[in-house]
Amino acid sequence: MSWQERSLRTNDGIRLHCVDAGRGRPLVMLPGFSQTVAQFRRQVEDLSGDFRVIALDHRGHGRSDKPAHGYRVSRLAADLRDLILALDLHDVALLGHSMGCAVAWCYWDLYYGDRVGALILVDQPAVIAADLVAPEDARAVGAVFDAETAFGIAAGLRGEDAVATSRAIVERMHTPAMSPQDVAWITAQNMLLPREYAAALLLDHYGNDWRDVLPDWTYPPW
């Protein structure tokens, strides 16, 4: 399978990198926090047999520009809007992984799902901040971090232990059966997002609660 490397400009002048493969209904893949397009190569290969698959490096991530601003879920949703308009996509299926789900939810909240026909959500609760829910409800809604943990991770990303903190995040999110080589490669992909920017994005992502957005969906079954 061959894919086309593309770049586009956002409305604030930032160059975003994406890959474009296959034909058919557009399926836009939104990686999670610190993830890159390269990590989804096998999914792009498999899905491009049935869809036009477009996988996006968020600003600061992967091969996209790394400006000193814009590390908020709302800005990433605006960047997604710029991609959809630049490629003139319609009836898009958005596939979000982890934080990519939050970007998709924010897109719905800001643009009311314009040009989107389906959502595919992978491994992300509507709220991750345990401080925002009643203690007895935290596990049920998937809230996994309290403020002390979130700010501690952000401090680690900004400090001298940024690599170790990043590796710990990767190891927490993957099976222990993953090889050390794969863990090292994924950590290196994560590190392409400068750690100061990663810390800012992590805290913004942590503070969002999408439970009021979810009941408003009007997407038909896909």
Side-chain angles (χ1 to χ4, degrees):
M1 188 277 299
S2 62
W3 60 20
Q4 182 179 0
E5 307 279 349
R6 287 183 175 271
S7 64
L8 60 123
R9 292 282 174 182
T10 64
N11 62 8
D12 63 339
I14 304 307
R15 185 194 62 82
L16 298 180
H17 168 259
C18 67
V19 298
D20 193 343
R23 290 185 172 184
R25 183 180 185 178
L27 172 61
V28 176
M29 300 183 67
L30 303 172
F33 171 74
S34 279
Q35 295 174 352
T36 69
V37 163
Q39 291 175 242
F40 292 87
R41 183 177 186 91
R42 291 179 182 174
Q43 287 76 21
V44 173
E45 289 175 347
D46 288 345
L47 294 169
S48 62
D50 299 303
F51 303 96
R52 178 186 176 186
V53 182
I54 300 153
L56 173 67
D57 276 330
H58 300 298
R59 70 172 55 209
H61 296 63
R63 294 174 58 187
S64 290
D65 283 352
K66 299 167 181 18
H69 64 278
Y71 297 100
R72 291 174 291 277
V73 172
S74 58
R75 179 65 250 190
L76 302 189
D79 292 346
L80 170 61
R81 176 70 169 175
D82 288 335
L83 177 142
I84 288 173
L85 294 180
L87 300 183
D88 194 25
L89 304 177
H90 297 268
D91 194 28
V92 175
L94 287 182
L95 190 159
H97 176 248
S98 192
M99 187 197 69
C101 296
V103 176
W105 295 330
C106 189
Y107 183 92
W108 173 268
D109 197 30
L110 292 173
Y111 308 107
Y112 211 64
D114 183 54
R115 300 200 183 199
V116 173
L119 287 177
I120 304 165
L121 306 172
V122 182
D123 199 23
Q124 178 65 31
V127 55
I128 62 174
D131 311 76
L132 298 179
V133 301
E136 62 271 18
D137 296 333
R139 181 176 294 274
V141 302
V144 293
F145 294 129
D146 58 19
E148 182 179 0
T149 301
F151 280 92
I153 294 172
L157 291 172
R158 290 185 169 120
E160 296 179 356
D161 296 329
V163 175
T165 300
S166 302
R167 187 180 184 92
I169 293 172
V170 170
E171 290 175 343
R172 177 171 180 166
M173 299 300 176
H174 294 82
T175 170
M178 180 174 287
S179 72
Q181 294 81 5
D182 283 344
V183 171
W185 181 80
I186 292 173
T187 302
Q189 290 295 306
N190 278 217
M191 295 292 290
L192 294 175
L193 171 63
R195 298 294 83 183
E196 177 70 22
Y197 305 157
L201 181 57
L202 174 74
L203 292 178
D204 181 81
H205 176 39
Y206 167 79
N208 282 297
D209 183 346
W210 302 103
R211 286 176 293 175
D212 63 322
V213 175
L214 272 60
D216 201 30
W217 291 352
T218 58
Y219 294 125
W222 190 51

